Amino acid sequence: MSGTFPDGDLTDDKFLCGRLHLLQPARGYRAATDAVLLAAACPAGAGQSVLDLGCGAGAASLCLAARVPELRLAGLEIQAEYADLARRNGARNGVEMEVFTGDLAHMPRELRRDFDHVIANPPWYPPGGTASPVEVRAQAMQVRLPVGDWVAAAARRLAPGGWLTLIAGADSVPELLAALAPKLGSASVLPLAAREGREALRVILRARKGGRAAFRLLAPLVLHQGAGHDGDRESYTPEANAILRGGAALPARFG
């Protein structure tokens, strides 16, 4: 592999109502609302360090940087093509971000340090679970390591008192919670429901290294208004609209 996508295979996509412009492959894995929600849920403060595990084209880190100034960003991405895009996207949006190519099982030496925050959006399809004919898209979406391994890798990289913020399928919650001990606690899970009364298919988990507070299952964040799709309109709820378009933070929901 060349390690980069040809320019003719890329689209230039707007995030946060145009505050960010991200290059993404037209036929590869493409970041969307999950990356924005993940960034909104991270409680990072100005000047803190953030490690993005499986950073893809950098969408979550750059959405976070659009809200929080002077972050020290680092990313780990197993696919060289996406790592290259993350570097390019950081530069074209004026955000400094170190991006390393590698995987969780063999993390680059440069990342073996403590971070205030770790964020992650692990793949959610089992091997063979996506029919995508595009190899880089299929690789980005298919599970290679159990989600518990992502939690363990994050725990190793977090400084004492640091926060893990992770978005994943709702069916992974038992495995996520089982993976927290002994290093992570004070966990909260926020279900993400497409509409009022719908089953949550995704969740956001937050947990703290060394945290001892009781587990909390939060009220769902409902993303869309109405009972079903209404034409071409996205029909976001006011709270979802403030996050997905305005770049608002989610931490207030976590208390």
Side-chain angles (χ1 to χ4, degrees), residues 89-159:
N89 283 329
R92 70 199 303 262
N93 286 281
V95 177
E96 186 174 345
M97 180 177 178
E98 295 180 284
V99 182
F100 300 90
T101 304
D103 61 34
L104 301 182
H106 306 285
M107 197 168 291
R109 186 181 303 274
E110 295 90 340
L111 291 178
R112 296 177 191 174
R113 61 183 192 263
D114 287 348
F115 291 85
D116 298 308
H117 299 271
V118 174
I119 61 175
N121 180 10
W124 61 91
Y125 284 105
T130 171
S132 175
V134 182
E135 180 181 357
V136 290
R137 177 178 172 83
Q139 186 174 351
M141 296 173 70
Q142 291 180 2
V143 173
R144 281 170 175 74
L145 292 173
V147 69
D149 288 9
W150 289 73
V151 173
R156 289 193 295 270
R157 297 280 64 85
L158 281 170

Side-chain angles (χ1 to χ4, degrees), residues 62-212:
L62 297 176
C63 286
L64 180 57
R67 175 170 60 85
V68 183
E70 300 177 2
L71 292 174
R72 290 173 285 130
L73 298 173
L76 176 66
E77 172 54 47
I78 194 170
Q79 296 193 80
E81 296 95 335
Y82 282 98
D84 176 67
L85 276 188
R87 297 183 192 103
R88 293 175 65 182
N89 283 329
R92 70 199 303 262
N93 286 281
V95 177
E96 186 174 345
M97 180 177 178
E98 295 180 284
V99 182
F100 300 90
T101 304
D103 61 34
L104 301 182
H106 306 285
M107 197 168 291
R109 186 181 303 274
E110 295 90 340
L111 291 178
R112 296 177 191 174
R113 61 183 192 263
D114 287 348
F115 291 85
D116 298 308
H117 299 271
V118 174
I119 61 175
N121 180 10
W124 61 91
Y125 284 105
T130 171
S132 175
V134 182
E135 180 181 357
V136 290
R137 177 178 172 83
Q139 186 174 351
M141 296 173 70
Q142 291 180 2
V143 173
R144 281 170 175 74
L145 292 173
V147 69
D149 288 9
W150 289 73
V151 173
R156 289 193 295 270
R157 297 280 64 85
L158 281 170
W163 287 96
L164 164 65
T165 308
L166 181 148
I167 189 167
D171 59 353
S172 69
V173 168
E175 185 179 353
L176 287 170
L177 297 181
L180 296 179
K183 293 185 178 180
L184 299 172
S186 302
S188 299
V189 169
L190 174 67
L192 303 172
R195 299 183 187 277
E196 191 72 42
R198 295 278 186 90
E199 179 181 349
L201 299 180
R202 306 286 278 160
V203 299
I204 296 175
L205 166 76
R206 253 188 36 193
R208 191 171 198 178
K209 189 165 185 177
R212 297 183 179 277

Side-chain angles (χ1 to χ4, degrees), residues 30-52:
R30 298 169 57 80
T33 57
D34 278 5
V36 185
L37 291 165
L38 177 61
C42 178
Q48 291 190 315
S49 58
V50 182
L51 172 59
D52 187 348

